[in-house]
Amino acid sequence: MATTNNKITASQPEMGLALNRRGFLVRALGGLSLGFFLPEAGHFFDLQAADPPPQQLANAYIRIFPDNTVTLLFGGCEMGQGTKTGLAQILAEELFVEWNQVKVEQSLVDPIVTYGTGGSSGVSRRYDRLRNAGAAARELLILAAMDKTGDTNRNNYRAQSATVVYTGPNAVSPGVWTYGVLAAAAALKTVPADLRLTNPANFRLIGKPLSRVDIPSKTDGSAIYGIDVWFPDMVFAAIKHCPTIGGVMATLPATPRGALAVVPCKASDTRGAITAGSVNAVAVVATDTWTAKNLANSLSVSWTLPASTAGVDSAAILAQAQSLMASGAGVLVAEPVPPTGYTPATYAPVIEGQVNSAMGTPTIDSTYSLPYVAHATMEVLNCSVKFAFNAAGAPASCEIWAPNQNATSVTTYAAAASGLLPAAIKVNTTYLGGGLGRKIEQDYVSQAVQVALVVKRPVKLTWMREEDFTHDQYRPMALVNVKAKLSGSNITAWAYRTVTPSISQQRGRLAAGAIDSQAVECARNLPYNLGTHVVEWVPSPAGIPVGYWRSVGASIHVFAVESFIDELAKSANVDPFTFRYSLLTDLPDNRARNVLAAADAMSLTWRNSLPAGRAWGVAIGEAFGTWVCEVVEISAPTATSITVHRVNCAVDCGMAINPNSVEAQMQGGIVHGLNATLWGQTTFTAGKANQKNFNVNRMLRLNEMPQITVKIVQSSTTAPTGTGEPGVPPVAAAVGNAYARLTGKRQRSLPFFPGAVMGGI
Amino acid sequence: MNITLNVNGQNKQVAVPSLDMPLLWVLRDIMGLTGTKYGCGIEVCGACTVIIDNQREHACVFNVGSAVGKKITTIEGLSAPGTQSHPVQKAWIDNQVPQCGYCQPGMIMACEAARRAGHHGTEILSELKHLCVCGTYQRIREAVKTL
């Protein structure tokens, strides 16, 4: 149990213990403890992890104690997406406990197993395993009740409200036992083969819009985010990076008056290894954050800039992308799959020949451009660290508090920065004031550990907003060219080529000549009949650090694809809905068609009776297994904005575990997408990011919020798909399509209104 | 130097390095009252909003020296700990407003300042220009209608 003055508590898992053949670890621990493996994170882990997650080890636990408390310990994170609530619902359902009888607690990080939250996986990828684990615990408790009755007929028992009720013929009094009473005996049983999973038709809790468990503490200041971790004897550090990307410190400046220390911080690569010699930041330590950041601002640091820095410029990066687009150098074919004997590179001329022959002169040839975008989480990056030192003054162990999406990698980074073994590092995952993909990276953790080692006191390192915006790992820029040939309202040829950096390639995790699936996410496997077609990717070598931004590649390619589809519809003089219906080949499940039809029905009346000066636009996209269609209504274009009046959103996320959370995630995703559509970008001049605070990173305010209506189209009751990210991608194209309808002008570059500013309040 | 601040109805002796120190960092780093959040430091986002003598103020730029002798209310002072019994808190819970929740203390304090100025329902909305990156604005709108 770890406790700070801010009442952070986390529970200790049993470190790295193996599961049995059935995937469970049953122990007593003063009650019943059932360990199991909860799949963590989405596809980024598949790309990022050096080793696959060790699924034979427990990383989540159900604990039932004699006082009848039921707790799920898990190592993922809650960043506003409602994961804690969704998991509680799933567990309570299969364990047959009431909603108010289950708690979800953050567990400490076991350094041996993996934890992470991303890829819209927080609930969706954990559904099956958590149901099975809940059912396994319930069946163990029923086996314990059988000892009380002598009746081994399972049909003579039912679980209800955290009790086992006996309904058989034997004379037993009282015939009802609480889980707490049965827990210790249940821990001695073996999980039976038949787990009697609940028929979805009988769900009591899954699928209900239950209130979120974390919300009360988020209305009274008691929810503890990373930045809120506080000890009376803590010192405070403010980071100051070299403003120019790639620059390193030349000489360490003297500690200014009023500071406790100036600590050089070495850069870490994305696996947590400290890069020898590359001090790219200094941390100024003081008795409060205000003093630290003032001293950091006035501190003069001599930086050595790399020769390449002058070229790290948005205009030059765009020119380079245009050159790669035109020259065709480095083209890799992402779709169709190259036949045997070809690589993605050698197949290019073959398939291009076929497409060119089918294409002739394209009916439309359009190029779309997207910028780098910062994550802009409301809570800036921060990390608190406390070391224990041995008698010789060497570090013996450390405890870390970090708002993170990737607790496993917190341990990795801290071990690399401190030289400690992972087992000597205790990691607490706090609430996150937004993650949005930025808190998958742990550069800030490495820095905080380096600072704490020097100052030998508990320290909280904070990135002030200006550092957070200018040293992000940005959503990659992209250039997309699409050509297509129309015959009536059919597409007979389609050539899609994108030039964009690869996150995996920049991190050295992609083999030369291989396709980065995220770089072409939502550019291939489209639900449309495209005729003879090719999807190509040319990796951009631009040196701006890139990372996972809510919805990743989908945020790029859904904009290009769905804008272009509308351009084709206009050329064919066909209604955008009708045009899409006629192209859809999403058999056998019809999920794209279903959300399109739902959004069509939602918007039919209003969109056909809009007053002058208003227009509508539609777009559809898939991300993380979830289909979303959005229809927007806009008006009043100016040089810096438009008014978005409403968004109708139809979403098919499979089984909707909590419709209240699904609606919130669609609302949030749409706002996130609108910010990037209208204003969001980070530009670079001579290696420096230009947008340093919210005043020049305009975002939607409350008075600009459209009315969003969400319809959940539940195509399946068997499994959920992701909801955290899929609301983001369609909105940019939907607004662009409405804008073209309203003004006759097609917006092919994001953001639509670059340079917009935001005043104070 | 030592000063006395009246925070959430209680007088507290606080040692501050300068009277120019923004109230935000006195609350957070010296007093350990971390419910008031840092977001931008330039009065654009509103996450640091507190109430001083019934007025909405941005603690990120409000010098602590100017707060001496005044009544400071932070998010922690709206209701007894653990109760969430204040009408604004109840409206936020009833409408399931927060997602990440980081901006909500500032939103709630601005909403309460507007109520203290005699505003009700949708009149309050014009006082709520804070940033919420999660996009909880629609549910805030619904919550405010009930106040």
Side-chain angles (χ1 to χ4, degrees), chain A residues 79-80 212 218-220 225 227-228 230 289-290 465 660 663-664 668 693 700-701 705 707-708 761, chain B residues 22 28-29 34 37-40 43-44 58 75 84 89 96 99-102 129 134 137-139 141:
Chain A
M79 51 186 159
R212 273 178 45 176
K218 290 177 173 177
T219 66
D220 67 0
Y225 301 85
I227 204 168
D228 300 334
W230 184 82
T289 307
W290 177 69
R465 177 58 66 190
N660 167 49
E663 182 196 71
N693 208 320
L700 214 68
R701 291 203 192 268
M705 178 74 183
Q707 190 68 25
I708 298 172
I761 53 175
Chain B
R28 290 184 54 81
D29 288 3
T34 55
K37 303 301 192 222
Y38 165 72
C40 68
E43 293 192 270
V44 170
H58 299 126
I75 187 73
Q84 295 101 24
Q89 292 172 327
Q96 293 287 293
Q99 289 184 28
C100 94
Y102 192 82
K129 292 184 175 166
C134 294
Y137 299 131
Q138 186 160 322
R139 292 190 180 185
R141 229 158 34 195

Side-chain angles (χ1 to χ4, degrees), chain A residues 224-427:
Chain A
I224 300 300
Y225 301 85
I227 204 168
D228 300 334
V229 171
W230 184 82
F231 310 99
D233 59 342
M234 170 174 252
V235 294
F236 301 85
I239 199 76
K240 181 187 182 91
H241 290 93
C242 177
T244 307
I245 290 167
V248 295
M249 189 183 72
T251 46
L252 180 66
T255 301
R257 222 178 112 198
L260 300 171
V262 175
V263 181
C265 293
K266 290 180 181 175
S268 51
D269 74 13
T270 49
R271 297 286 307 167
I274 299 292
T275 312
S278 64
V279 173
N280 71 336
V282 296
V284 178
V285 188
T287 51
D288 63 79
T289 307
W290 177 69
T291 303
K293 71 108 176 164
N294 286 343
L295 292 171
N297 286 346
S298 56
L299 190 70
S300 177
V301 185
S302 167
W303 305 103
T304 304
L305 304 183
S308 58
T309 287
V312 182
D313 188 288
S314 290
I317 290 169
L318 181 60
Q320 181 187 46
Q322 286 165 335
S323 167
L324 287 170
M325 182 69 83
S327 73
V331 171
L332 303 171
V333 174
E335 186 177 274
V337 175
T340 308
Y342 290 100
T343 67
T346 59
Y347 189 49
V350 179
I351 183 69
E352 281 172 9
Q354 293 170 19
V355 173
N356 287 343
S357 158
M359 182 87 69
T361 304
T363 308
I364 306 206
D365 176 341
S366 290
T367 299
Y368 304 87
S369 176
L370 295 91
Y372 292 99
V373 185
H375 292 79
T377 56
M378 282 301 300
E379 180 199 23
V380 292
L381 298 174
N382 67 87
C383 178
S384 295
V385 182
K386 195 176 190 173
F387 270 96
F389 296 90
N390 63 21
S397 64
C398 85
E399 184 160 6
I400 296 173
W401 294 260
N404 74 82
Q405 292 178 246
N406 194 348
T408 307
S409 134
V410 171
T411 311
T412 311
Y413 277 62
S418 66
L420 291 174
L421 292 173
I425 299 166
K426 197 187 229 184
V427 176

Side-chain angles (χ1 to χ4, degrees), chain B residues 51-99:
Chain B
I51 296 176
I52 300 179
D53 281 356
N54 289 324
Q55 295 287 316
R56 181 187 79 182
E57 299 290 353
H58 299 126
C60 73
V61 296
F62 196 95
N63 292 347
V64 70
S66 307
V68 174
K70 295 180 176 166
K71 288 187 164 56
I72 303 162
T73 309
T74 70
I75 187 73
E76 291 93 343
L78 271 195
S79 60
T83 63
Q84 295 101 24
S85 59
H86 188 275
V88 180
Q89 292 172 327
K90 286 202 245 179
W92 251 241
I93 293 168
D94 288 348
N95 288 278
Q96 293 287 293
V97 171
Q99 289 184 28

Side-chain angles (χ1 to χ4, degrees), chain A residues 665-677:
Chain A
Q665 287 308 298
M666 292 304 118
Q667 292 173 343
I670 287 165
V671 170
H672 191 78
L674 280 174
N675 288 336
T677 303

Side-chain angles (χ1 to χ4, degrees), chain A residues 106-157:
Chain A
Q106 195 77 46
S107 80
L108 286 171
V109 170
D110 179 335
I112 300 167
V113 299
T114 55
Y115 307 93
T117 303
S120 294
S121 68
V123 171
S124 62
R125 296 213 346 175
R126 296 171 173 145
Y127 179 68
D128 285 336
R129 298 240 187 184
L130 183 52
R131 278 185 76 195
N132 276 288
R138 178 234 304 147
E139 292 303 313
L140 288 171
L141 292 156
I142 289 175
L143 286 175
M146 289 178 181
D147 288 349
K148 307 261 185 196
T149 64
D151 182 349
T152 57
N153 182 351
R154 171 64 180 81
N155 292 332
N156 289 337
Y157 299 84

